[in-house]
Amino acid sequence: MADIDDKLFWIGQRGWPDDAYGQVFLGRAIQQLGTALFPSNWIGAEMVAEEPYPKDVLYVDGGEGTTPKPLFWIEPQLLKILARVLRENHPDISIGFKPGPTRRPVLTDEQHMLALATIDRVNPIRMAARARMARVSTKLGAALRDGQLKFALLPQRGGEFLTDTKPFWWNVQSVAHRWMRCQMSPSEPYSAAFSGDRFMHIFVDGADFSSFVESQRKAVAVAATPMHPSNNETYAAALALLSSWSTPKRTLRAFESLCRESGISSHIAREAYKTLGASRGRKRA
């Protein structure tokens, strides 16, 4: 779960340095690229999108998710998950607790059903936001690694940019820590830490970035044009959403709505949805 400092950084832009001398702060670059890739769906909070709530463990038939476990079957740790869902999404609802050190929630049948319905509503939104986040960070990280985007570092004190940076500093297994505060240490470029005394703010070259964003906008426009699925990058994204999609009624209309939240057209959503029927050996409406 994203803490308050993460949210203040990404949503409130707390601690963001100004752009200067043709350099664009990495945080702003992420937001601008997100808007370019998802012009109708990017909300600016994707980098702190919460993980979906656990769901399959709350159903008798697991992944199928059609038969909820009766309340008396649900383990204490899962009851706490249901209580958290209600607390985070329905703060006006009062939840009882069993006396004792474990603070075991005592839910009514109505609260149980409301929690499950809330998970079904919230999880697709969270999944779509995290998919947008993954696409933006993957594209930006690859462009920095391949030298398509030059980058510079700005000390936390002082105004002189360090431009003697290397693309291969991004050629590591994971750069997830660099998105947390958009910082890097030039003395320890492969460190898995995300901030500290020797860390500097990451900036991208403004001219490089403008060209990169424009190329991405054009790619989005092309992807929005109906074409054969095998030649469409967004088709793969739709299939990825479909494979991780978990909801009691996996209807075409619901899947189209989920895809729209990730900037995927209804045409591509329908093509991807057809594979669901094929994989189960029957035609889906």
Side-chain angles (χ1 to χ4, degrees):
M1 179 182 295
D3 62 26
I4 187 63
D5 288 335
D6 294 335
K7 292 179 179 178
L8 286 172
F9 180 82
W10 279 108
I11 300 175
Q13 300 185 5
R14 187 178 72 176
W16 285 23
D18 293 336
D19 297 343
Y21 307 119
Q23 302 285 349
V24 178
F25 178 56
L26 182 61
R28 291 191 189 88
I30 287 172
Q31 298 290 23
Q32 291 173 27
L33 180 58
T35 301
L37 290 174
F38 306 101
S40 301
N41 302 99
W42 187 261
I43 62 174
E46 280 81 356
M47 300 307 288
V48 287
E50 302 284 3
E51 292 187 6
Y53 292 113
K55 177 182 174 180
D56 293 350
V57 290
L58 299 169
Y59 286 82
V60 174
D61 42 7
E64 290 296 321
T66 56
T67 306
K69 287 182 179 179
L71 267 175
F72 62 85
W73 279 17
I74 299 179
E75 299 89 338
Q77 67 271 21
L78 300 183
L79 283 173
K80 291 181 180 179
I81 291 174
L82 292 172
R84 178 165 65 89
V85 172
L86 294 174
R87 185 173 63 252
E88 293 176 353
N89 298 277
H90 304 280
D92 55 317
I93 292 180
S94 177
I95 301 172
F97 289 89
K98 195 171 185 177
T102 60
R103 291 278 293 169
R104 178 175 176 172
V106 179
L107 304 181
T108 67
D109 289 333
E110 291 77 12
Q111 290 172 339
H112 177 206
M113 291 297 101
L114 177 60
L116 294 179
T118 301
I119 290 174
D120 285 338
R121 174 178 58 83
V122 170
N123 273 8
I125 297 172
R126 292 186 173 189
M127 290 165 58
R130 292 176 71 85
R132 295 193 297 271
M133 173 187 71
R135 188 174 175 195
V136 168
S137 58
T138 297
K139 283 185 174 292
L140 196 53
L144 287 160
R145 178 200 63 207
D146 297 341
Q148 189 176 357
L149 286 177
K150 295 187 292 293
F151 70 101
L153 301 176
L154 180 68
Q156 298 184 45
R157 294 180 180 83
E160 183 178 358
F161 283 95
L162 172 67
T163 56
D164 185 19
T165 59
K166 309 298 181 185
F168 51 75
W169 289 355
W170 293 85
N171 189 30
V172 293
Q173 186 171 6
S174 172
V175 294
H177 55 290
R178 295 186 184 160
W179 312 128
M180 295 181 70
R181 290 295 181 273
C182 299
Q183 294 182 21
M184 178 189 292
S185 170
S187 60
E188 301 176 81
Y190 303 114
S191 170
F194 62 89
S195 66
D197 292 339
R198 295 184 298 276
F199 280 68
M200 300 183 183
H201 298 294
I202 304 171
F203 284 72
V204 296
D205 180 88
D208 284 355
F209 185 65
S210 293
S211 298
F212 179 70
V213 169
E214 184 58 29
S215 69
Q216 297 304 311
R217 283 201 183 97
K218 291 179 179 178
V220 168
V222 170
T225 303
M227 59 179 67
H228 193 276
S230 63
N231 298 323
N232 195 332
E233 180 184 5
T234 57
Y235 182 68
L239 287 178
L241 276 179
L242 185 64
S243 65
S244 60
W245 188 35
S246 178
T247 188
K249 295 182 179 180
R250 300 206 289 178
T251 64
L252 174 58
R253 182 174 296 180
F255 185 63
E256 285 180 309
S257 177
L258 176 63
C259 285
R260 279 196 298 272
E261 292 176 359
S262 293
I264 300 172
S265 69
S266 294
H267 171 76
I268 298 302
R270 289 192 293 270
E271 292 296 330
Y273 189 83
K274 290 177 183 177
T275 66
L276 187 63
S279 66
R280 294 186 176 184
R282 65 179 185 271
K283 185 177 180 181
R284 298 295 295 255

